Amino acid sequence: MSTPDQVGQTSGECIFVLDFGAQYLQLIIRKVQEQGVRAESRPADISVEELLPEKPSGLILSGGPASVYGEDAPTMDRRVLETGIPVLGICYGHQLMAHLLGGKVEPGERREYGFTEIEVVEPDLLLEGVNSPSQTWMSHGDRVEAVPPGFQVLATSGYTPVAVMGDSERKLFGVQFHPEVRHTICGPTVLRNFIRKACGCVSSWQPADFVEESVAEIRAQVGEGRVLCGLSGGVDSSVVAALLVQAIPEQVTCMFIDHGLMRKNEPEEVKEFFGELLGKRFVAVDASEAFLSKLEGVVDPEEKRRIIGETFIRTFEAEACKIGEFHYLAQGTIYPDVIESGGGQTAKIKSHHNVGGLPEDMDYELVEPLRRLFKDQVRELGRQLGLPVALTERQPFPGPGLAVRVIGGLTREKLAQVREADHIFREELARADLDQSISQFFAAIADIRSVGVMGDDRSYVHPIILRAVVTEDFMTADWARIPQEVLARVANRIVNEVKDINRVLYDITSKPPGTVEWE
Ligand code: XMP
């Protein structure tokens, strides 16, 4: 199993990814590692003097949110491009390379966002084996208008005259699209060509064993300290609990707090499963009243998250005092949570409080063994730890639970409606045998009302929104093509079985520009 940015057994070959503030930095590292070559991140402004002694096999310049003409645009030591080390620029990295080497970068008249077909002009070494046209995924405003001296245009797209450029002599390449994203069909081929053909890497690198490494890291961090583990019953926190039980069985207590925002029957299932698995190391607390009374009427999603994060910690503190003294709080923060909370540049990931709306004045130090992993890696880890498939394959459920699926002002009535509708949706997808192939699906209740009619009665109530997505890493997602007859059955049951719902909507937006959740 490959873990991002991890130093495993060395073959000597290593690709450095220079970080220009990319959201997808860890994903790039991971995709390189999946090609069997070690990858690590380095700051964008690393100098030639710092770089050369490390002898990287190749460099990837990441994307980033800036424009090369922006005032504080990150740049790089231009001499790095003259060292003979092969370089692949991605998105911003592609534009920066063109800019620094004498090409022409123009501010875009509009943004090119999402799926884009490229036409291969010159297969060359980088695009060998890539079909033309080929579907890619782009997200940029500026574009390269003219290549620098010595470069060739290797591919174009409708909007971008230089979608891919290259100088095979000097082994310098740039791609406007994101090869690391799943929706770029030729992404793995392009990365493989760069790594194997341009950089000449031959290793088949395997990262170190993650279970062993995490167990060692946890022991080193907590020493003799006692650890309280927040257990929600989801994949992430369950895997953390299993890791802790392996690492420090005598020092850990897992606490499940029922915030009253879980799906139908879930609190009961969690208590039954973990009560059996963890025995005296498992404590369940029903705090639903405390949460709901604070959340009633709250509209702003971030405020909901803040309240829930804070109430969680306060409940933990109060309950933990009853069972003893703890120094650490373990939680299942994973990599996408970290970057979506604004911890983008790996080098600067910090301030745990940014994640999950935690308050700043906590009494605990955090233990977050999964913060460098993507969801599918966490599942793989769960399997390695021997957790049952029903648990490792469970779809994600957000920490703030149904609170962020009651769009706008939260009421107990809307909570009950969304819970029931969600249950029907889940039941019907399982019956249609679709529940394993769709990555995440749920119901939300909208903050608008519409007129409806049933029998002779006019209604003026809220609609239910159904959301179902297919994704590999939850950073990009496509909406699930659920057969119409299944949707019809779900909608019919919801309007008939859930009180005061007169309409059902199906969300057909991808991420981006949408997110998976509505709030
Ligand atoms: P978005 O909506 O950001 O969701 O596209 C991506 C994944 O993250 C989950 N999600 C959350 N999980 N706390 C969580 O623990 C949150 O505040 C939160 N918001 C979204 C979402 O369900 C999806 O799996």
Side-chain angles (χ1 to χ4, degrees):
M1 161 185 175
S2 96
T3 66
D5 208 9
Q6 176 191 51
V7 183
Q9 301 97 314
T10 335
S11 73
E13 292 178 343
C14 186
I15 303 287
F16 286 178
V17 184
L18 303 196
D19 179 8
F20 289 93
Q23 254 222 330
Y24 298 127
L25 188 80
Q26 291 290 3
L27 197 55
I28 299 172
I29 288 169
R30 177 173 169 195
K31 292 294 169 186
V32 172
Q33 292 183 339
E34 282 176 6
Q35 297 298 332
V37 176
R38 194 157 61 91
E40 293 176 14
S41 66
R42 288 292 180 277
D45 58 0
I46 188 169
S47 68
V48 166
E49 289 75 18
E50 290 166 307
L51 191 68
L52 287 181
E54 295 207 73
K55 298 198 179 77
S57 316
L59 301 176
I60 292 181
L61 315 181
S62 83
S67 156
V68 292
Y69 296 115
E71 244 176 46
D72 297 319
T75 188
M76 63 184 290
D77 183 342
R78 189 182 177 283
R79 295 172 303 156
V80 166
L81 300 172
E82 292 158 4
T83 54
I85 301 170
V87 182
L88 173 66
I90 295 177
C91 194
Y92 179 77
H94 162 73
Q95 295 164 5
L96 182 66
M97 186 155 57
H99 181 65
L100 292 177
L101 296 177
K104 199 163 138 207
V105 180
E106 289 284 319
E109 293 137 32
R110 60 182 173 90
R111 283 192 73 77
E112 190 172 31
Y113 206 52
F115 297 110
T116 304
E117 278 197 342
I118 59 161
E119 295 277 349
V120 176
V121 178
E122 184 59 61
D124 196 63
L125 153 167
L126 190 74
L127 300 183
E128 230 179 272
V130 173
N131 291 335
S132 184
S134 184
Q135 179 189 294
T136 67
W137 194 88
M138 296 200 191
S139 170
H140 66 114
D142 293 357
R143 59 185 178 185
V144 178
E145 285 284 326
V147 296
F151 278 74
Q152 272 187 299
V153 177
L154 305 184
T156 61
S157 80
Y159 174 69
T160 312
V162 186
V164 183
M165 65 177 188
D167 177 342
S168 306
E169 281 293 281
R170 289 186 287 168
K171 305 256 171 48
L172 301 177
F173 302 92
V175 293
Q176 184 56 67
F177 57 82
H178 286 269
E180 70 279 20
V181 164
R182 187 173 68 98
H183 301 302
T184 297
I185 305 295
C186 60
T189 307
V190 169
L191 287 175
R192 187 165 53 249
N193 286 344
F194 175 68
I195 295 163
R196 300 286 174 195
K197 296 189 171 142
C199 304
C201 292
V202 292
S203 63
S204 56
W205 177 81
Q206 287 291 317
D209 180 86
F210 187 77
V211 174
E212 217 173 274
E213 205 167 82
S214 305
V215 163
E217 260 177 37
I218 291 167
R219 285 184 184 150
Q221 184 187 353
V222 309
E224 304 279 297
R226 290 191 65 196
V227 181
L228 184 58
C229 173
L231 184 55
S232 70
V235 186
D236 305 339
S237 62
S238 301
V239 169
V240 171
L243 267 177
L244 289 168
V245 168
Q246 192 150 325
I248 45 164
E250 299 308 319
Q251 292 156 252
V252 63
T253 300
C254 296
M255 188 184 289
F256 164 63
I257 293 187
D258 180 3
H259 52 16
L261 303 164
M262 296 190 78
R263 290 169 289 197
K264 192 168 173 176
N265 303 332
E266 232 169 16
E268 294 74 20
E269 287 165 10
V270 170
K271 282 186 270 188
E272 193 180 321
F273 181 81
F274 286 101
E276 203 158 296
L277 188 77
L278 298 166
K280 65 175 174 30
R281 299 189 211 101
F282 178 72
V283 179
V285 179
D286 179 2
S288 49
E289 201 42 52
F291 279 87
L292 296 184
S293 57
K294 286 189 188 134
L295 284 168
E296 262 185 315
V298 176
V299 175
D300 178 38
E302 289 313 303
E303 180 63 6
K304 289 178 187 171
R305 283 190 171 82
R306 197 196 58 73
I307 292 172
I308 293 165
E310 176 145 8
T311 312
F312 239 112
I313 291 295
R314 297 297 167 234
T315 311
F316 258 100
E317 284 175 337
E319 295 297 323
C321 284
K322 296 181 192 165
I323 32 178
E325 198 184 333
F326 291 92
H327 314 95
Y328 298 89
L329 175 67
Q331 56 177 25
T333 312
I334 66 170
Y335 186 65
D337 304 337
V338 174
I339 37 179
E340 303 220 340
S341 299
Q345 269 175 287
T346 22
K348 291 186 190 144
I349 289 176
K350 30 79 232 239
S351 165
H352 298 290
H353 333 298
N354 281 356
V355 179
L358 297 177
E360 305 225 352
D361 60 335
M362 289 189 318
D363 285 347
Y364 304 110
E365 188 180 315
L366 289 177
V367 178
E368 295 178 315
L370 311 181
R371 62 182 294 122
R372 289 184 303 168
L373 299 189
F374 290 92
K375 198 82 190 181
D376 58 310
Q377 295 177 304
V378 176
R379 292 190 203 282
E380 167 64 23
L381 183 55
R383 285 190 285 271
Q384 285 179 25
L385 285 163
L387 289 174
V389 175
L391 227 165
T392 57
E393 299 314 305
R394 184 176 283 191
Q395 63 174 264
F397 183 63
L402 298 179
V404 288
R405 293 177 182 174
V406 174
I407 320 298
L410 192 134
T411 67
R412 289 172 201 248
E413 188 195 356
K414 282 195 233 168
L415 207 51
Q417 288 169 305
V418 83
R419 181 175 282 130
E420 202 51 44
D422 183 75
H423 181 66
I424 292 170
F425 193 25
R426 287 200 287 152
E427 247 181 18
E428 288 300 329
L429 287 188
R431 190 172 297 170
D433 212 11
L434 291 168
D435 54 339
Q436 294 303 316
S437 54
I438 301 175
S439 316
Q440 191 174 8
F441 48 86
F442 57 87
I445 186 163
D447 198 20
I448 48 168
R449 288 195 288 174
S450 74
V451 174
V453 61
M454 211 156 179
D456 290 332
D457 285 337
R458 174 187 185 276
S459 60
Y460 186 53
V461 292
H462 303 287
I464 285 287
I465 300 158
L466 302 177
R467 178 75 162 144
V469 295
V470 179
T471 172
E472 198 174 82
D473 52 23
F474 292 88
M475 297 173 71
T476 61
D478 199 5
W479 59 280
R481 273 42 170 194
I482 297 177
Q484 289 184 11
E485 57 277 14
V486 178
L487 286 173
R489 214 162 33 239
V490 176
N492 192 39
R493 277 193 62 192
I494 289 175
V495 291
N496 278 293
E497 295 175 33
V498 186
K499 190 167 177 292
D500 288 339
I501 296 294
N502 63 359
R503 241 172 244 270
V504 177
L505 316 174
Y506 187 50
D507 182 352
I508 55 166
T509 320
S510 63
K511 172 185 178 175
T515 50
V516 175
E517 302 289 343
W518 268 56
E519 286 196 335

